[in-house]
mmCIF file of all heavy atoms in Angstrom:
data_model
loop_
_atom_site.group_PDB
_atom_site.id
_atom_site.type_symbol
_atom_site.label_atom_id
_atom_site.label_comp_id
_atom_site.label_asym_id
_atom_site.label_seq_id
_atom_site.Cartn_x
_atom_site.Cartn_y
_atom_site.Cartn_z
ATOM 1 N N ASP A 43 -0.296 21.966 -1.486
ATOM 2 C CA ASP A 43 0.901 22.609 -2.028
ATOM 3 C C ASP A 43 0.722 22.840 -3.531
ATOM 4 O O ASP A 43 1.161 22.057 -4.358
ATOM 5 C CB ASP A 43 2.137 21.739 -1.760
ATOM 6 C CG ASP A 43 2.597 21.850 -0.306
ATOM 7 O OD1 ASP A 43 1.904 22.503 0.487
ATOM 8 O OD2 ASP A 43 3.653 21.276 0.026
ATOM 9 N N THR A 45 1.784 25.380 -5.651
ATOM 10 C CA THR A 45 2.563 26.504 -6.198
ATOM 11 C C THR A 45 3.013 26.254 -7.632
ATOM 12 O O THR A 45 3.597 27.121 -8.250
ATOM 13 C CB THR A 45 3.811 26.795 -5.343
ATOM 14 O OG1 THR A 45 4.550 25.588 -5.207
ATOM 15 C CG2 THR A 45 3.436 27.334 -3.997
ATOM 16 N N ASP A 46 2.760 25.070 -8.140
ATOM 17 C CA ASP A 46 3.102 24.787 -9.529
ATOM 18 C C ASP A 46 1.883 25.064 -10.402
ATOM 19 O O ASP A 46 0.962 24.252 -10.482
ATOM 20 C CB ASP A 46 3.548 23.333 -9.677
ATOM 21 C CG ASP A 46 4.002 23.035 -11.103
ATOM 22 O OD1 ASP A 46 3.773 23.881 -11.984
ATOM 23 O OD2 ASP A 46 4.588 21.962 -11.317
ATOM 24 N N ARG A 163 15.175 7.068 10.869
ATOM 25 C CA ARG A 163 16.491 6.649 10.384
ATOM 26 C C ARG A 163 17.660 7.062 11.241
ATOM 27 O O ARG A 163 18.816 6.718 10.963
ATOM 28 C CB ARG A 163 16.709 7.190 8.972
ATOM 29 C CG ARG A 163 16.020 6.356 7.937
ATOM 30 C CD ARG A 163 15.597 7.195 6.756
ATOM 31 N NE ARG A 163 14.292 6.759 6.300
ATOM 32 C CZ ARG A 163 14.105 5.689 5.562
ATOM 33 N NH1 ARG A 163 15.114 4.959 5.167
ATOM 34 N NH2 ARG A 163 12.899 5.316 5.211
ATOM 35 N N LYS A 180 10.833 31.605 -7.883
ATOM 36 C CA LYS A 180 10.978 31.475 -9.325
ATOM 37 C C LYS A 180 10.827 32.848 -9.985
ATOM 38 O O LYS A 180 10.377 33.809 -9.356
ATOM 39 C CB LYS A 180 9.899 30.531 -9.874
ATOM 40 C CG LYS A 180 9.905 29.144 -9.241
ATOM 41 C CD LYS A 180 8.798 28.285 -9.822
ATOM 42 C CE LYS A 180 7.924 27.724 -8.714
ATOM 43 N NZ LYS A 180 6.803 26.914 -9.233
ATOM 44 N N SER A 181 11.182 32.923 -11.264
ATOM 45 C CA SER A 181 11.136 34.209 -11.958
ATOM 46 C C SER A 181 9.703 34.721 -12.119
ATOM 47 O O SER A 181 9.471 35.890 -12.333
ATOM 48 C CB SER A 181 11.826 34.120 -13.315
ATOM 49 O OG SER A 181 11.227 33.123 -14.100
ATOM 50 N N ASN A 212 16.180 16.171 0.129
ATOM 51 C CA ASN A 212 15.863 17.585 0.102
ATOM 52 C C ASN A 212 15.955 18.230 1.480
ATOM 53 O O ASN A 212 16.009 19.451 1.597
ATOM 54 C CB ASN A 212 14.427 17.785 -0.399
ATOM 55 C CG ASN A 212 14.401 17.974 -1.900
ATOM 56 O OD1 ASN A 212 15.293 18.590 -2.466
ATOM 57 N ND2 ASN A 212 13.396 17.421 -2.537
ATOM 58 N N LEU A 272 -0.194 -1.531 7.381
ATOM 59 C CA LEU A 272 0.757 -2.624 7.567
ATOM 60 C C LEU A 272 1.906 -2.597 6.564
ATOM 61 O O LEU A 272 2.776 -3.466 6.590
ATOM 62 C CB LEU A 272 0.019 -3.969 7.473
ATOM 63 C CG LEU A 272 -0.360 -4.668 8.778
ATOM 64 C CD1 LEU A 272 -0.568 -3.694 9.914
ATOM 65 C CD2 LEU A 272 -1.562 -5.547 8.602
ATOM 66 N N GLY A 274 4.958 -1.078 6.041
ATOM 67 C CA GLY A 274 5.973 -0.220 6.641
ATOM 68 C C GLY A 274 5.781 -0.011 8.127
ATOM 69 O O GLY A 274 6.591 0.633 8.773
ATOM 70 N N ARG A 297 8.082 2.212 15.472
ATOM 71 C CA ARG A 297 7.759 0.924 14.868
ATOM 72 C C ARG A 297 7.605 0.997 13.347
ATOM 73 O O ARG A 297 7.167 0.042 12.721
ATOM 74 C CB ARG A 297 6.477 0.371 15.494
ATOM 75 C CG ARG A 297 6.628 -0.019 16.961
ATOM 76 C CD ARG A 297 5.687 -1.141 17.321
ATOM 77 N NE ARG A 297 6.035 -2.347 16.589
ATOM 78 C CZ ARG A 297 6.929 -3.245 17.011
ATOM 79 N NH1 ARG A 297 7.542 -3.097 18.142
ATOM 80 N NH2 ARG A 297 7.184 -4.294 16.264
ATOM 81 N N ASN A 299 9.102 0.933 9.715
ATOM 82 C CA ASN A 299 10.271 0.334 9.068
ATOM 83 C C ASN A 299 11.101 1.307 8.267
ATOM 84 O O ASN A 299 10.631 2.354 7.864
ATOM 85 C CB ASN A 299 9.792 -0.700 8.055
ATOM 86 C CG ASN A 299 9.699 -2.038 8.686
ATOM 87 O OD1 ASN A 299 10.517 -2.399 9.501
ATOM 88 N ND2 ASN A 299 8.690 -2.778 8.299
ATOM 89 N N LYS A 319 -16.886 -9.854 4.993
ATOM 90 C CA LYS A 319 -17.581 -10.839 5.812
ATOM 91 C C LYS A 319 -18.107 -10.247 7.105
ATOM 92 O O LYS A 319 -19.112 -10.691 7.626
ATOM 93 C CB LYS A 319 -16.624 -12.010 6.122
ATOM 94 C CG LYS A 319 -16.876 -13.195 5.241
ATOM 95 C CD LYS A 319 -15.913 -14.306 5.538
ATOM 96 C CE LYS A 319 -14.807 -14.238 4.542
ATOM 97 N NZ LYS A 319 -13.757 -15.216 4.686
ATOM 98 N N ARG A 362 -17.788 -15.713 -0.874
ATOM 99 C CA ARG A 362 -17.009 -16.131 -2.030
ATOM 100 C C ARG A 362 -16.404 -14.994 -2.819
ATOM 101 O O ARG A 362 -15.905 -15.195 -3.907
ATOM 102 C CB ARG A 362 -17.912 -16.911 -2.991
ATOM 103 C CG ARG A 362 -18.113 -18.298 -2.720
ATOM 104 C CD ARG A 362 -19.533 -18.746 -3.029
ATOM 105 N NE ARG A 362 -20.399 -18.512 -1.882
ATOM 106 C CZ ARG A 362 -20.704 -19.433 -0.994
ATOM 107 N NH1 ARG A 362 -20.291 -20.656 -1.151
ATOM 108 N NH2 ARG A 362 -21.462 -19.136 0.032
ATOM 109 N N MET A 449 -21.369 -23.428 -11.732
ATOM 110 C CA MET A 449 -20.978 -24.666 -11.057
ATOM 111 C C MET A 449 -20.817 -24.458 -9.551
ATOM 112 O O MET A 449 -20.740 -25.425 -8.800
ATOM 113 C CB MET A 449 -19.649 -25.165 -11.621
ATOM 114 C CG MET A 449 -19.648 -25.300 -13.122
ATOM 115 S SD MET A 449 -19.834 -26.995 -13.643
ATOM 116 C CE MET A 449 -18.163 -27.566 -13.466
ATOM 117 N N GLY A 451 -21.407 -21.638 -5.950
ATOM 118 C CA GLY A 451 -22.203 -20.554 -5.402
ATOM 119 C C GLY A 451 -22.636 -20.870 -3.996
ATOM 120 O O GLY A 451 -22.156 -21.840 -3.399
ATOM 121 P P G B 1 27.480 4.298 -11.806
ATOM 122 O OP1 G B 1 28.393 3.537 -10.992
ATOM 123 O OP2 G B 1 26.049 4.350 -11.461
ATOM 124 O "O5'" G B 1 27.973 5.815 -11.909
ATOM 125 C "C5'" G B 1 29.322 6.132 -12.202
ATOM 126 C "C4'" G B 1 29.493 7.612 -12.051
ATOM 127 O "O4'" G B 1 28.515 8.287 -12.897
ATOM 128 C "C3'" G B 1 29.199 8.147 -10.655
ATOM 129 O "O3'" G B 1 30.340 8.073 -9.824
ATOM 130 C "C2'" G B 1 28.792 9.589 -10.934
ATOM 131 O "O2'" G B 1 29.907 10.408 -11.184
ATOM 132 C "C1'" G B 1 27.987 9.427 -12.223
ATOM 133 N N9 G B 1 26.559 9.179 -11.988
ATOM 134 C C8 G B 1 25.880 8.013 -12.247
ATOM 135 N N7 G B 1 24.608 8.082 -11.951
ATOM 136 C C5 G B 1 24.441 9.368 -11.452
ATOM 137 C C6 G B 1 23.281 10.022 -10.960
ATOM 138 O O6 G B 1 22.133 9.573 -10.872
ATOM 139 N N1 G B 1 23.553 11.319 -10.545
ATOM 140 C C2 G B 1 24.789 11.915 -10.601
ATOM 141 N N2 G B 1 24.866 13.169 -10.167
ATOM 142 N N3 G B 1 25.892 11.313 -11.061
ATOM 143 C C4 G B 1 25.643 10.060 -11.466
ATOM 144 P P C B 5 23.089 7.798 4.791
ATOM 145 O OP1 C B 5 23.215 8.019 6.245
ATOM 146 O OP2 C B 5 24.154 7.095 4.059
ATOM 147 O "O5'" C B 5 21.724 7.016 4.505
ATOM 148 C "C5'" C B 5 20.497 7.516 5.007
ATOM 149 C "C4'" C B 5 19.358 6.716 4.425
ATOM 150 O "O4'" C B 5 19.359 6.845 2.978
ATOM 151 C "C3'" C B 5 19.438 5.213 4.642
ATOM 152 O "O3'" C B 5 18.980 4.848 5.920
ATOM 153 C "C2'" C B 5 18.524 4.705 3.538
ATOM 154 O "O2'" C B 5 17.159 4.901 3.858
ATOM 155 C "C1'" C B 5 18.887 5.640 2.385
ATOM 156 N N1 C B 5 19.947 5.087 1.513
ATOM 157 C C2 C B 5 19.583 4.110 0.578
ATOM 158 O O2 C B 5 18.406 3.732 0.533
ATOM 159 N N3 C B 5 20.530 3.598 -0.247
ATOM 160 C C4 C B 5 21.800 4.034 -0.160
ATOM 161 N N4 C B 5 22.698 3.510 -0.998
ATOM 162 C C5 C B 5 22.187 5.024 0.795
ATOM 163 C C6 C B 5 21.242 5.516 1.593
ATOM 164 P P C B 12 8.036 -7.052 0.724
ATOM 165 O OP1 C B 12 8.466 -5.694 0.386
ATOM 166 O OP2 C B 12 9.007 -8.023 1.259
ATOM 167 O "O5'" C B 12 6.817 -6.954 1.740
ATOM 168 C "C5'" C B 12 5.701 -6.106 1.465
ATOM 169 C "C4'" C B 12 4.749 -6.151 2.631
ATOM 170 O "O4'" C B 12 4.196 -7.481 2.756
ATOM 171 C "C3'" C B 12 5.412 -5.906 3.976
ATOM 172 O "O3'" C B 12 5.582 -4.523 4.202
ATOM 173 C "C2'" C B 12 4.423 -6.571 4.930
ATOM 174 O "O2'" C B 12 3.293 -5.760 5.139
ATOM 175 C "C1'" C B 12 4.027 -7.811 4.129
ATOM 176 N N1 C B 12 4.873 -8.968 4.445
ATOM 177 C C2 C B 12 4.553 -9.744 5.566
ATOM 178 O O2 C B 12 3.577 -9.432 6.252
ATOM 179 N N3 C B 12 5.325 -10.823 5.869
ATOM 180 C C4 C B 12 6.380 -11.132 5.099
ATOM 181 N N4 C B 12 7.115 -12.193 5.434
ATOM 182 C C5 C B 12 6.727 -10.351 3.955
ATOM 183 C C6 C B 12 5.956 -9.294 3.668
ATOM 184 P P U B 13 6.779 -4.024 5.127
ATOM 185 O OP1 U B 13 6.636 -2.571 5.273
ATOM 186 O OP2 U B 13 8.059 -4.602 4.648
ATOM 187 O "O5'" U B 13 6.364 -4.695 6.513
ATOM 188 C "C5'" U B 13 7.318 -5.117 7.449
ATOM 189 C "C4'" U B 13 6.628 -6.039 8.413
ATOM 190 O "O4'" U B 13 6.294 -7.275 7.732
ATOM 191 C "C3'" U B 13 7.477 -6.490 9.588
ATOM 192 O "O3'" U B 13 7.414 -5.496 10.613
ATOM 193 C "C2'" U B 13 6.775 -7.769 9.998
ATOM 194 O "O2'" U B 13 5.595 -7.518 10.716
ATOM 195 C "C1'" U B 13 6.415 -8.365 8.633
ATOM 196 N N1 U B 13 7.444 -9.277 8.115
ATOM 197 C C2 U B 13 7.600 -10.483 8.775
ATOM 198 O O2 U B 13 6.913 -10.795 9.737
ATOM 199 N N3 U B 13 8.569 -11.310 8.266
ATOM 200 C C4 U B 13 9.385 -11.054 7.197
ATOM 201 O O4 U B 13 10.217 -11.899 6.862
ATOM 202 C C5 U B 13 9.172 -9.789 6.560
ATOM 203 C C6 U B 13 8.232 -8.962 7.036
ATOM 204 P P U B 16 14.845 -8.520 19.937
ATOM 205 O OP1 U B 16 15.539 -8.032 18.752
ATOM 206 O OP2 U B 16 15.469 -9.541 20.749
ATOM 207 O "O5'" U B 16 14.491 -7.295 20.887
ATOM 208 C "C5'" U B 16 13.673 -6.224 20.457
ATOM 209 C "C4'" U B 16 14.458 -4.938 20.531
ATOM 210 O "O4'" U B 16 14.249 -4.239 19.313
ATOM 211 C "C3'" U B 16 14.012 -4.013 21.651
ATOM 212 O "O3'" U B 16 14.780 -4.318 22.826
ATOM 213 C "C2'" U B 16 14.258 -2.623 21.064
ATOM 214 O "O2'" U B 16 15.569 -2.192 21.277
ATOM 215 C "C1'" U B 16 14.074 -2.845 19.570
ATOM 216 N N1 U B 16 12.783 -2.443 18.985
ATOM 217 C C2 U B 16 12.421 -1.100 19.093
ATOM 218 O O2 U B 16 13.088 -0.285 19.666
ATOM 219 N N3 U B 16 11.248 -0.800 18.468
ATOM 220 C C4 U B 16 10.428 -1.645 17.792
ATOM 221 O O4 U B 16 9.401 -1.223 17.259
ATOM 222 C C5 U B 16 10.871 -3.012 17.727
ATOM 223 C C6 U B 16 12.007 -3.353 18.322
ATOM 224 P P A B 25 -0.528 -17.534 10.765
ATOM 225 O OP1 A B 25 -1.868 -18.031 11.134
ATOM 226 O OP2 A B 25 0.457 -18.414 10.117
ATOM 227 O "O5'" A B 25 -0.704 -16.256 9.835
ATOM 228 C "C5'" A B 25 -1.642 -15.245 10.164
ATOM 229 C "C4'" A B 25 -1.612 -14.159 9.123
ATOM 230 O "O4'" A B 25 -0.305 -13.531 9.128
ATOM 231 C "C3'" A B 25 -1.761 -14.651 7.685
ATOM 232 O "O3'" A B 25 -3.113 -14.881 7.345
ATOM 233 C "C2'" A B 25 -1.156 -13.491 6.918
ATOM 234 O "O2'" A B 25 -2.033 -12.387 6.876
ATOM 235 C "C1'" A B 25 0.037 -13.140 7.804
ATOM 236 N N9 A B 25 1.235 -13.879 7.393
ATOM 237 C C8 A B 25 1.806 -14.996 7.954
ATOM 238 N N7 A B 25 2.875 -15.417 7.321
ATOM 239 C C5 A B 25 3.026 -14.522 6.268
ATOM 240 C C6 A B 25 3.979 -14.419 5.235
ATOM 241 N N6 A B 25 4.997 -15.257 5.071
ATOM 242 N N1 A B 25 3.835 -13.402 4.352
ATOM 243 C C2 A B 25 2.809 -12.556 4.510
ATOM 244 N N3 A B 25 1.853 -12.543 5.441
ATOM 245 C C4 A B 25 2.022 -13.564 6.311
ATOM 246 P P U B 36 -20.037 -31.181 -2.295
ATOM 247 O OP1 U B 36 -18.848 -32.030 -2.443
ATOM 248 O OP2 U B 36 -20.313 -30.492 -1.027
ATOM 249 O "O5'" U B 36 -20.028 -30.105 -3.463
ATOM 250 C "C5'" U B 36 -20.001 -30.520 -4.835
ATOM 251 C "C4'" U B 36 -20.057 -29.294 -5.704
ATOM 252 O "O4'" U B 36 -21.302 -28.600 -5.472
ATOM 253 C "C3'" U B 36 -18.984 -28.267 -5.404
ATOM 254 O "O3'" U B 36 -17.800 -28.571 -6.113
ATOM 255 C "C2'" U B 36 -19.620 -26.985 -5.925
ATOM 256 O "O2'" U B 36 -19.510 -26.873 -7.314
ATOM 257 C "C1'" U B 36 -21.097 -27.204 -5.578
ATOM 258 N N1 U B 36 -21.518 -26.562 -4.317
ATOM 259 C C2 U B 36 -21.687 -25.187 -4.319
ATOM 260 O O2 U B 36 -21.473 -24.501 -5.296
ATOM 261 N N3 U B 36 -22.122 -24.657 -3.139
ATOM 262 C C4 U B 36 -22.395 -25.333 -1.973
ATOM 263 O O4 U B 36 -22.788 -24.710 -0.991
ATOM 264 C C5 U B 36 -22.188 -26.757 -2.045
ATOM 265 C C6 U B 36 -21.766 -27.312 -3.187
ATOM 266 P P C B 37 -16.401 -28.283 -5.448
ATOM 267 O OP1 C B 37 -15.390 -28.920 -6.308
ATOM 268 O OP2 C B 37 -16.478 -28.634 -4.011
ATOM 269 O "O5'" C B 37 -16.265 -26.715 -5.585
ATOM 270 C "C5'" C B 37 -16.284 -26.076 -6.860
ATOM 271 C "C4'" C B 37 -16.427 -24.586 -6.667
ATOM 272 O "O4'" C B 37 -17.760 -24.284 -6.174
ATOM 273 C "C3'" C B 37 -15.508 -24.004 -5.612
ATOM 274 O "O3'" C B 37 -14.226 -23.746 -6.151
ATOM 275 C "C2'" C B 37 -16.243 -22.723 -5.240
ATOM 276 O "O2'" C B 37 -16.060 -21.708 -6.203
ATOM 277 C "C1'" C B 37 -17.697 -23.184 -5.281
ATOM 278 N N1 C B 37 -18.196 -23.619 -3.953
ATOM 279 C C2 C B 37 -18.788 -22.656 -3.123
ATOM 280 O O2 C B 37 -18.870 -21.498 -3.530
ATOM 281 N N3 C B 37 -19.251 -23.033 -1.914
ATOM 282 C C4 C B 37 -19.145 -24.304 -1.522
ATOM 283 N N4 C B 37 -19.628 -24.638 -0.325
ATOM 284 C C5 C B 37 -18.537 -25.300 -2.344
ATOM 285 C C6 C B 37 -18.074 -24.921 -3.542
ATOM 286 P P A B 39 -11.328 -19.752 0.024
ATOM 287 O OP1 A B 39 -10.335 -18.687 -0.123
ATOM 288 O OP2 A B 39 -10.902 -21.158 0.035
ATOM 289 O "O5'" A B 39 -12.173 -19.479 1.352
ATOM 290 C "C5'" A B 39 -12.744 -18.190 1.592
ATOM 291 C "C4'" A B 39 -13.692 -18.285 2.760
ATOM 292 O "O4'" A B 39 -14.754 -19.224 2.432
ATOM 293 C "C3'" A B 39 -13.081 -18.839 4.040
ATOM 294 O "O3'" A B 39 -12.454 -17.820 4.781
ATOM 295 C "C2'" A B 39 -14.306 -19.386 4.753
ATOM 296 O "O2'" A B 39 -15.062 -18.362 5.363
ATOM 297 C "C1'" A B 39 -15.101 -19.974 3.587
ATOM 298 N N9 A B 39 -14.767 -21.380 3.341
ATOM 299 C C8 A B 39 -14.021 -21.901 2.310
ATOM 300 N N7 A B 39 -13.895 -23.207 2.347
ATOM 301 C C5 A B 39 -14.597 -23.575 3.494
ATOM 302 C C6 A B 39 -14.840 -24.821 4.085
ATOM 303 N N6 A B 39 -14.392 -25.978 3.589
ATOM 304 N N1 A B 39 -15.576 -24.840 5.222
ATOM 305 C C2 A B 39 -16.032 -23.684 5.720
ATOM 306 N N3 A B 39 -15.872 -22.436 5.236
ATOM 307 C C4 A B 39 -15.140 -22.455 4.113
ATOM 308 P P G B 68 20.439 -3.700 -9.117
ATOM 309 O OP1 G B 68 19.739 -4.050 -10.374
ATOM 310 O OP2 G B 68 21.558 -2.720 -9.127
ATOM 311 O "O5'" G B 68 19.353 -3.186 -8.055
ATOM 312 C "C5'" G B 68 18.126 -3.900 -7.905
ATOM 313 C "C4'" G B 68 17.354 -3.341 -6.735
ATOM 314 O "O4'" G B 68 18.166 -3.399 -5.538
ATOM 315 C "C3'" G B 68 16.986 -1.871 -6.833
ATOM 316 O "O3'" G B 68 15.870 -1.641 -7.667
ATOM 317 C "C2'" G B 68 16.701 -1.541 -5.380
ATOM 318 O "O2'" G B 68 15.460 -2.057 -4.970
ATOM 319 C "C1'" G B 68 17.820 -2.318 -4.683
ATOM 320 N N9 G B 68 19.001 -1.466 -4.477
ATOM 321 C C8 G B 68 20.192 -1.511 -5.165
ATOM 322 N N7 G B 68 21.053 -0.614 -4.749
ATOM 323 C C5 G B 68 20.378 0.067 -3.728
ATOM 324 C C6 G B 68 20.800 1.143 -2.900
ATOM 325 O O6 G B 68 21.883 1.735 -2.905
ATOM 326 N N1 G B 68 19.797 1.518 -2.011
ATOM 327 C C2 G B 68 18.561 0.928 -1.915
ATOM 328 N N2 G B 68 17.729 1.433 -0.997
ATOM 329 N N3 G B 68 18.161 -0.079 -2.678
ATOM 330 C C4 G B 68 19.109 -0.452 -3.551
ATOM 331 P P G B 69 15.816 -0.263 -8.512
ATOM 332 O OP1 G B 69 14.674 -0.375 -9.445
ATOM 333 O OP2 G B 69 17.168 0.073 -9.024
ATOM 334 O "O5'" G B 69 15.465 0.779 -7.370
ATOM 335 C "C5'" G B 69 14.231 0.676 -6.660
ATOM 336 C "C4'" G B 69 14.241 1.617 -5.496
ATOM 337 O "O4'" G B 69 15.360 1.322 -4.629
ATOM 338 C "C3'" G B 69 14.432 3.082 -5.820
ATOM 339 O "O3'" G B 69 13.246 3.684 -6.298
ATOM 340 C "C2'" G B 69 14.851 3.632 -4.465
ATOM 341 O "O2'" G B 69 13.745 3.720 -3.593
ATOM 342 C "C1'" G B 69 15.775 2.514 -3.973
ATOM 343 N N9 G B 69 17.170 2.805 -4.309
ATOM 344 C C8 G B 69 17.952 2.191 -5.259
ATOM 345 N N7 G B 69 19.165 2.691 -5.314
ATOM 346 C C5 G B 69 19.177 3.686 -4.340
ATOM 347 C C6 G B 69 20.209 4.570 -3.940
ATOM 348 O O6 G B 69 21.367 4.659 -4.364
ATOM 349 N N1 G B 69 19.791 5.427 -2.926
ATOM 350 C C2 G B 69 18.532 5.431 -2.367
ATOM 351 N N2 G B 69 18.306 6.326 -1.402
ATOM 352 N N3 G B 69 17.557 4.604 -2.726
ATOM 353 C C4 G B 69 17.952 3.769 -3.720
ATOM 354 P P G B 70 13.364 4.982 -7.243
ATOM 355 O OP1 G B 70 12.003 5.258 -7.721
ATOM 356 O OP2 G B 70 14.485 4.822 -8.196
ATOM 357 O "O5'" G B 70 13.790 6.104 -6.195
ATOM 358 C "C5'" G B 70 12.903 6.484 -5.152
ATOM 359 C "C4'" G B 70 13.592 7.465 -4.247
ATOM 360 O "O4'" G B 70 14.814 6.876 -3.744
ATOM 361 C "C3'" G B 70 14.067 8.734 -4.923
ATOM 362 O "O3'" G B 70 13.008 9.669 -5.036
ATOM 363 C "C2'" G B 70 15.147 9.212 -3.969
ATOM 364 O "O2'" G B 70 14.595 9.815 -2.820
ATOM 365 C "C1'" G B 70 15.793 7.889 -3.576
ATOM 366 N N9 G B 70 16.967 7.557 -4.389
ATOM 367 C C8 G B 70 17.068 6.606 -5.368
ATOM 368 N N7 G B 70 18.267 6.545 -5.896
ATOM 369 C C5 G B 70 18.994 7.521 -5.223
ATOM 370 C C6 G B 70 20.350 7.912 -5.360
ATOM 371 O O6 G B 70 21.220 7.472 -6.109
ATOM 372 N N1 G B 70 20.674 8.950 -4.477
ATOM 373 C C2 G B 70 19.801 9.522 -3.584
ATOM 374 N N2 G B 70 20.278 10.504 -2.832
ATOM 375 N N3 G B 70 18.533 9.159 -3.446
ATOM 376 C C4 G B 70 18.201 8.156 -4.293
ATOM 377 P P C B 74 16.171 24.858 -11.930
ATOM 378 O OP1 C B 74 15.936 23.974 -13.043
ATOM 379 O OP2 C B 74 17.367 25.719 -11.932
ATOM 380 O "O5'" C B 74 14.907 25.781 -11.747
ATOM 381 C "C5'" C B 74 14.407 26.059 -10.452
ATOM 382 C "C4'" C B 74 13.042 26.670 -10.648
ATOM 383 O "O4'" C B 74 13.260 28.046 -11.034
ATOM 384 C "C3'" C B 74 12.310 25.952 -11.798
ATOM 385 O "O3'" C B 74 11.117 25.334 -11.334
ATOM 386 C "C2'" C B 74 12.224 27.014 -12.945
ATOM 387 O "O2'" C B 74 10.947 27.116 -13.521
ATOM 388 C "C1'" C B 74 12.565 28.327 -12.219
ATOM 389 N N1 C B 74 13.377 29.212 -13.038
ATOM 390 C C2 C B 74 12.853 30.473 -13.361
ATOM 391 O O2 C B 74 11.735 30.770 -12.941
ATOM 392 N N3 C B 74 13.577 31.326 -14.122
ATOM 393 C C4 C B 74 14.787 30.962 -14.567
ATOM 394 N N4 C B 74 15.457 31.827 -15.306
ATOM 395 C C5 C B 74 15.332 29.674 -14.249
ATOM 396 C C6 C B 74 14.604 28.839 -13.494
ATOM 397 P P C B 75 9.722 25.481 -11.362
ATOM 398 O OP1 C B 75 9.307 26.339 -12.462
ATOM 399 O OP2 C B 75 9.481 25.863 -9.970
ATOM 400 O "O5'" C B 75 9.065 24.049 -11.614
ATOM 401 C "C5'" C B 75 9.618 22.902 -10.977
ATOM 402 C "C4'" C B 75 8.457 22.039 -10.626
ATOM 403 O "O4'" C B 75 8.775 20.679 -10.959
ATOM 404 C "C3'" C B 75 8.122 21.995 -9.145
ATOM 405 O "O3'" C B 75 7.312 23.089 -8.758
ATOM 406 C "C2'" C B 75 7.386 20.676 -9.053
ATOM 407 O "O2'" C B 75 6.081 20.802 -9.523
ATOM 408 C "C1'" C B 75 8.189 19.804 -10.029
ATOM 409 N N1 C B 75 9.245 19.020 -9.356
ATOM 410 C C2 C B 75 8.968 17.678 -9.083
ATOM 411 O O2 C B 75 7.882 17.219 -9.428
ATOM 412 N N3 C B 75 9.897 16.925 -8.449
ATOM 413 C C4 C B 75 11.052 17.477 -8.089
ATOM 414 N N4 C B 75 11.944 16.700 -7.471
ATOM 415 C C5 C B 75 11.365 18.846 -8.353
ATOM 416 C C6 C B 75 10.437 19.583 -8.973
ATOM 417 P P A B 76 7.230 23.570 -7.246
ATOM 418 O OP1 A B 76 6.285 24.693 -7.216
ATOM 419 O OP2 A B 76 8.572 23.731 -6.670
ATOM 420 O "O5'" A B 76 6.581 22.294 -6.531
ATOM 421 C "C5'" A B 76 5.173 22.100 -6.463
ATOM 422 C "C4'" A B 76 4.942 20.744 -5.837
ATOM 423 O "O4'" A B 76 5.834 19.785 -6.456
ATOM 424 C "C3'" A B 76 5.281 20.657 -4.357
ATOM 425 O "O3'" A B 76 4.195 21.072 -3.545
ATOM 426 C "C2'" A B 76 5.594 19.184 -4.187
ATOM 427 O "O2'" A B 76 4.428 18.408 -4.116
ATOM 428 C "C1'" A B 76 6.326 18.870 -5.488
ATOM 429 N N9 A B 76 7.776 19.043 -5.345
ATOM 430 C C8 A B 76 8.527 20.180 -5.509
ATOM 431 N N7 A B 76 9.810 20.011 -5.311
ATOM 432 C C5 A B 76 9.917 18.681 -4.985
ATOM 433 C C6 A B 76 11.031 17.867 -4.659
ATOM 434 N N6 A B 76 12.287 18.318 -4.606
ATOM 435 N N1 A B 76 10.811 16.568 -4.379
ATOM 436 C C2 A B 76 9.549 16.110 -4.426
ATOM 437 N N3 A B 76 8.421 16.774 -4.723
ATOM 438 C C4 A B 76 8.680 18.065 -5.001
#
Side-chain angles (χ1 to χ4, degrees):
Chain A
D43 283 6
T45 54
D46 184 349
R163 280 149 219 281
K180 303 179 234 178
S181 58
N212 268 324
L272 261 28
R297 292 209 65 87
N299 269 322
K319 259 179 262 179
R362 277 143 274 263
M449 307 258 279

